[in-house]
């Protein structure tokens, strides 16, 4: 039995519940708009809600900055958190880990799939240059990494994964307007299952709107959001491979 | 503010870029592409579709299938027009309906038909010239504010929603509206038809969508007493066709980079370089300002280490633009504010780069792109980054100022994001309007030193590219650290060698007029 630990949002005193938010309403700025914004804030669970700022943003639209005290709280002891996390290893530790536990170079195939043309995320993880001062996977002596670039059809990614005997497949999705990434990510899982190779690879999704939880729900082994560095991804891949005995 | 630059180095850069551009022009001179030919048909008035397939595609595909595209689509359509006494549009309709076989008709000798083709081209040329005059008249009546002009994007996927957002942005102070294209359009080998209400990360570029947005911006411009410019994307596999449609519907600016598609969309380099030439000629003739894409280099490469590739590419884009008939005021050469914000004195380097571009291309309305790579989701810090970007822009006299969004890296802009961006930019630019005229760059200081260093590296880089040629440079990954092969990438199958008697009546007429205008520019400059 764990002890309950309830917390509220924090402004300048414990449990004051202070939050700030901003939004637009499709109504001209004025007393009616102000009342509407306040009403909305109350429905969102804010007490002592204050409209700090209201301004027209164009015909028929007004913009608000609102402060209030959110009455809701969360019990930390009852939360279950899905996180790909684990402990990160650094560049040298990861290479040593592969050498020691797998004993051969591992193969990683990566792509921005579907119509997505934004490679900035996948480039940060894969390309030599890397991200935030960390080398990308291409630079790892114990990793063979292939970055297929943008707008890669799922079928082409699966074919490349088979050809390269991929141990891990990384998929980047940046454009998520109208949830276009969901069917696209799902299709890849279905194709890997149809090919009978889903269980043989570590399957990872990444992108600004990708959470670990979402990725797992869609049938991926992990999901990585914004700010992820190459070694976080590499650490996950190699540990997962060893855990699932994929290195043989 | 003036940088003390080595004018010999500047001349070296221009000479090298000129050689690079001349080599490219030599290569493309005797070639055409399916996209060039479709653009010709569109300018001839073939802009309808059958069951959603553009007639321009149907006709060009029919000619290509017979292996006869090397005489040019204008020849085959023109031949049918003259034999049958029909308009190009009517010929295309009959071909699409399967009622007409272009190859079953008697044939005029190609050269014999050229005067007739020039005549057929006249209404299209006239329509573009009318659009251009219309713009000039409107600009005189509804003058734009001082540069930097504020440029925002709309990207809802639904042209009707785009209209709402664009009009709102104009009311909030935007000078320029770009309708971002749906992701993936650059790789379509046709231009979709009609108004579209679905897209991802943007809205399809179609002639009807152009028309809808043009009308909406004209309306709001009249109301505000300011002309609002409209931008779209002349890139991808349909570069020249988009240029044709933009010219016909009075777009004011086009993203139109010579190398972007090659590097970032893996489009074949031969295809792109041929396509960009005709697309730029059309833009030049239509009085459209092009925007080049050097800023993109810095999204994959480091902005400090690779700054010279931006400068080098600006020189190359300038020379290719001149070769296509563009005039300096039409060259929105690109660069970006992408230096890591954690770097000490990073702002000094940004100012150096922006001022260097300003000084190297004094007549060009430089296109300055906001921070994107170092936007993290921390909207508060992001807003501040945009503030320094705005300050650098007004301080150094940039022309086309893309507004940074505080929610960059989170979602396509909300209405309020755009409002906040415009409010911030207007504040900074008004508040610091003439700061640049009050300050001098310290001789031998950090800013000048940085600008001189970038210029020197650019000169060295350009000399190397000039030495091996642009194609080999692209093969070796000299731009944006991306390697592309001469015969790789998408669209090579659409490249065709011209046969004796080939005719592109628009390119000939436009080039003749544009050369004349350029000569006048030269005389004035002397």
């Amino acid at each position: 039995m764990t002890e309950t630990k309830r917390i509220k949002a924090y402004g300048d005193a414990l449990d004051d519940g202070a939050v700030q938010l901003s939004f637009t309403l499709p109504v001209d700025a004025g007393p009616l708009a102000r009342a509407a914004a306040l009403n909305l804030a109350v429905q969102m669970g804010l007490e002592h809600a204050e409209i700090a700022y209201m301004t027209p943003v164009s015909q028929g639209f007004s913009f608000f900055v609102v402060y209030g005290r959110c009455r809701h709280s969360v019990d930390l002891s009852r939360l279950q958190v899905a996180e790909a996390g684990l402990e990160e290893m650094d560049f040298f530790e990861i290479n040593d880990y592969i050498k020691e536990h797998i004993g051969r170079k591992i193969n990683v195939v990566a792509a921005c799939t579907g119509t997505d043309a934004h490679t900035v995320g996948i480039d940060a993880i894969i390309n030599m240059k890397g991200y935030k001062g960390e080398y990308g996977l291409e630079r790892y002596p114990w990793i063979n990494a292939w970055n297929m670039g943008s707008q890669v059809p799922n079928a082409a990614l699966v074919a490349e994964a088979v050809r390269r005997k991929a141990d891990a497949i990384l998929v980047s999705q940046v454009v998520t307007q109208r949830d276009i990434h969901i069917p696209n990510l799902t299709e890849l899982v279905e194709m890997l299952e149809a090919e009978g190779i889903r269980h043989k690879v570590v399957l990872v999704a990444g992108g600004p709107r990708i959470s670990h939880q979402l990725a797992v729900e869609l049938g991926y082994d992990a999901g990585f959001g914004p700010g992820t560095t190459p070694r976080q991804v590499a650490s996950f891949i190699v540990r997962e491979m060893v855990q699932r005995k994929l290195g043989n | 503010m003036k940088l003390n630059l080595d004018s010999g180095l500047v001349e070296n850069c221009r000479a090298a870029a000129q050689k690079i551009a001349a080599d490219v022009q030599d290569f493309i001179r005797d070639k055409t592409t399916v996209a060039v030919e479709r653009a010709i048909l569109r300018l001839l008035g073939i802009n309808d579709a059958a069951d959603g397939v553009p007639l321009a595609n149907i006709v060009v595909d029919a000619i290509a299938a017979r292996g006869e595209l090397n005489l040019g689509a204008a020849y085959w359509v023109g031949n049918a027009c003259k034999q049958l006494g029909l308009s190009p549009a009517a010929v295309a309709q009959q071909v699409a309906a399967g009622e007409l076989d272009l190859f079953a008709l008697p044939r005029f000798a190609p050269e014999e038909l050229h005067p007739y083709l020039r005549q057929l081209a006249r209404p299209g040329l006239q329509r573009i010239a009318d659009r251009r005059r219309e713009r000039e008249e409107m600009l005189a009546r509804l003058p734009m504010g001082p540069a930097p002009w504020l440029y925002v994007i709309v990207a809802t996927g639904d042209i009707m929603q785009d209209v709402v957002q664009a009009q709102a942005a104009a009311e909030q102070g935007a000078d320029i509206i770009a309708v971002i294209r749906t992701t993936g359009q650059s790789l379509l080998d046709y231009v979709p038809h009609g108004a579209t209400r679905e897209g991802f990360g943007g809205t399809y570029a179609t002639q009807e969508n152009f028309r809808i947005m043009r009308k909406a911006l004209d309306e709001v411009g009249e109301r505000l007493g300011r002309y609002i410019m409209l931008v779209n994307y002349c890139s991808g596999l349909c570069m020249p066709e988009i240029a044709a449609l933009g010219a016909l519907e009075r777009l004011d600016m086009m993203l139109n980079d010579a190398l972007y598609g090659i590097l970032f969309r893996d489009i074949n380099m031969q295809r792109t370089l041929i396509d960009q030439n005709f697309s730029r000629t059309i833009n030049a003739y239509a009085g459209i300002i092009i925007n080049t894409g050097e800023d993109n280099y810095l999204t994959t490469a480091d902005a400090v280490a690779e700054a010279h590739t931006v400068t080098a590419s600006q020189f190359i884009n300038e020379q290719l633009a001149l070769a296509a008939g563009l005039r300096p005021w039409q060259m929105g050469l690109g660069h970006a504010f992408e230096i890591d914000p954690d770097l000490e004195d990073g702002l000094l380097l940004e100012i150096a780069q922006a001022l260097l571009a300003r000084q190297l291309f004094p007549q060009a309305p430089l296109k300055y792109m906001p921070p994107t790579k170092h936007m993290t989701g921390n909207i508060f810090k992001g807003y501040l980054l945009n503030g320094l970007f705005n300050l650098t822009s007004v301080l150094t006299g940039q022309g086309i100022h893309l507004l940074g969004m505080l929610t960059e890296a989170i979602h396509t802009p909300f209405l309020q994001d755009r409002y906040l961006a415009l409010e911030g930019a207007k504040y900074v630019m008004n508040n610091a309007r003439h700061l640049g005229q009050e300050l001098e760059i310290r001789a031998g200081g950090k800013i000048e030193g940085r600008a001189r260093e970038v210029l020197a590296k650019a000169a060295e880089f350009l000399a190397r590219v000039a030495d091996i040629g642009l194609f080999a440079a692209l093969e070796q990954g000299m731009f944006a650290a991306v390697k592309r092969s001469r015969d790789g990438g998408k669209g090579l199958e659409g490249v065709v060698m011209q046969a004796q008697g080939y005719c592109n009546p628009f390119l000939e007429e436009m080039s003749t007029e544009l050369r004349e205008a350029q000569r006048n520019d030269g005389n004035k400059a002397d």
Side-chain angles (χ1 to χ4, degrees), chain B residues 18-149:
Chain B
Q18 209 165 9
K19 177 173 184 302
I20 294 162
D23 288 350
V24 171
Q25 293 303 116
D26 277 346
F27 171 81
I28 66 184
R29 189 158 293 128
D30 54 0
K31 298 179 186 67
T32 184
T33 74
V34 288
V36 167
E37 298 305 316
R38 293 195 301 257
I40 293 167
L41 295 189
R42 286 184 177 275
L43 292 172
L44 285 171
I46 300 175
N47 280 313
D48 227 332
D51 296 328
V53 184
L55 296 183
N57 282 70
I58 293 174
V59 174
V60 166
D61 288 351
I63 300 168
R66 290 282 296 253
E68 301 278 11
L69 205 54
N70 54 5
L71 276 178
Y75 168 76
W76 293 106
V77 171
N79 184 64
C81 291
K82 193 158 187 194
Q83 299 288 359
L84 303 171
L86 291 171
S87 69
V91 166
Q93 292 285 2
Q94 292 194 8
V95 170
E99 292 159 5
L100 172 59
D101 179 355
L102 294 174
F103 307 98
L105 298 170
R107 295 174 195 178
F108 291 99
E111 276 87 359
E112 199 185 320
L113 205 58
H114 286 185
Y116 177 72
L117 296 182
R118 281 196 284 276
Q119 201 182 311
L120 272 188
R122 213 155 290 150
L125 290 166
Q126 189 57 49
R127 181 154 172 202
I128 296 173
D130 290 347
R131 292 287 92 78
R132 182 178 177 149
R133 199 165 317 114
E134 211 169 76
R135 181 192 304 111
E136 284 162 2
E137 284 164 12
M138 289 185 79
L139 275 169
R141 196 159 53 77
L142 307 166
M144 296 178 70
W149 291 331

Side-chain angles (χ1 to χ4, degrees), chain B residues 264-454:
Chain B
F264 299 102
R265 293 291 179 269
D266 196 14
I267 295 173
N268 175 264
M269 60 177 83
Q270 305 182 37
R271 168 76 178 260
T272 290
L273 288 168
I274 300 163
D275 283 350
Q276 64 86 26
N277 184 57
F278 188 39
S279 69
R280 285 179 169 195
T281 302
I282 297 170
N283 285 331
Y285 189 78
I288 284 173
I289 295 171
I290 64 163
N291 290 188
T292 61
E294 284 82 357
D295 45 282
N296 292 288
Y297 298 173
L298 304 182
T299 59
T300 51
D302 181 75
V304 176
E306 300 299 321
H308 64 285
T309 63
V310 168
T311 305
S313 175
Q314 288 170 335
F315 277 112
I316 296 173
N317 260 318
E318 177 192 47
Q319 292 304 321
L320 285 170
L322 283 172
L326 285 153
R327 297 158 75 188
W329 64 266
Q330 291 177 290
M331 297 177 197
L333 300 173
H335 62 130
F337 189 95
E338 288 284 21
I339 293 174
D340 186 342
D342 292 339
L343 188 70
E344 186 179 57
D345 287 336
L347 180 66
L348 277 60
L349 306 191
E350 295 286 12
I351 292 171
Q353 186 75 20
L355 204 52
L356 176 65
R358 179 67 289 157
Q359 214 164 308
L360 294 174
F361 310 100
Q363 296 178 64
L366 299 172
K367 181 199 74 162
Y368 200 23
M369 296 289 284
T372 57
K373 197 161 69 167
H374 299 286
M375 297 294 277
T376 56
N378 179 350
I379 57 172
F380 303 100
K381 182 170 182 187
Y383 201 63
L384 196 51
L385 252 68
N386 286 328
L388 288 188
F389 163 67
N390 294 336
L391 181 65
T392 306
S393 183
V394 71
L395 181 69
T396 58
Q398 303 300 306
I400 300 161
H401 181 88
L402 263 93
L403 283 179
M405 294 292 141
L406 79 169
T407 52
E408 175 76 37
I410 304 177
H411 49 235
T412 50
F414 289 171
L415 191 75
Q416 67 200 41
D417 300 341
R418 228 177 269 116
Y419 163 78
L420 291 167
L422 282 159
E423 185 182 53
K426 281 192 295 188
Y427 156 60
V428 171
M429 290 186 183
N430 185 55
N431 217 240
R433 180 69 68 196
H434 300 106
L435 183 60
Q437 293 169 22
E438 297 294 318
L439 300 180
E440 279 177 19
I441 297 298
R442 187 164 71 85
K446 279 193 176 168
I447 292 177
E448 190 176 278
R450 170 65 181 175
R452 291 174 69 96
E453 175 197 336
V454 171

Side-chain angles (χ1 to χ4, degrees), chain B residues 140-311:
Chain B
R141 196 159 53 77
L142 307 166
M144 296 178 70
W149 291 331
L150 305 184
Y151 175 129
V152 300
I153 63 172
V154 295
T156 69
D158 175 350
I159 189 65
M160 300 309 170
Q161 277 307 310
D162 285 345
V163 161
V164 174
Q165 303 253 338
Q167 290 188 329
E171 284 169 14
Q172 292 157 13
D175 300 299
I176 305 170
I177 306 285
V179 182
I180 292 274
R181 292 200 302 184
T182 182
T183 177
Q185 184 168 4
S186 57
L187 299 183
L188 296 180
D189 216 338
Y190 65 94
V191 180
H193 189 73
T196 68
R197 307 200 62 170
E198 269 200 33
F200 298 103
T203 306
Y204 283 100
T206 73
Q207 186 171 14
E208 185 60 24
N209 286 350
F210 286 0
R211 197 177 295 149
I212 290 168
M213 186 56 84
R214 175 75 277 163
K215 185 162 167 278
L217 294 186
D218 283 351
E219 272 170 23
V220 74
E222 291 284 354
R223 195 165 357 120
L224 298 169
R226 288 189 289 127
Y227 186 78
I228 309 294
M229 287 197 167
L230 175 58
V231 189
N232 212 283
Y233 291 70
C234 229
S235 56
L237 287 169
C238 293
M239 256 185 187
E241 277 182 282
I242 297 280
L245 298 177
L248 293 171
E249 303 303 335
R250 189 167 36 86
L251 268 72
D252 306 292
M253 286 187 190
M254 282 285 184
L255 276 282
N256 198 193
D257 190 84
L259 306 181
Y260 176 80
I262 302 168
L263 296 172
F264 299 102
R265 293 291 179 269
D266 196 14
I267 295 173
N268 175 264
M269 60 177 83
Q270 305 182 37
R271 168 76 178 260
T272 290
L273 288 168
I274 300 163
D275 283 350
Q276 64 86 26
N277 184 57
F278 188 39
S279 69
R280 285 179 169 195
T281 302
I282 297 170
N283 285 331
Y285 189 78
I288 284 173
I289 295 171
I290 64 163
N291 290 188
T292 61
E294 284 82 357
D295 45 282
N296 292 288
Y297 298 173
L298 304 182
T299 59
T300 51
D302 181 75
V304 176
E306 300 299 321
H308 64 285
T309 63
V310 168
T311 305

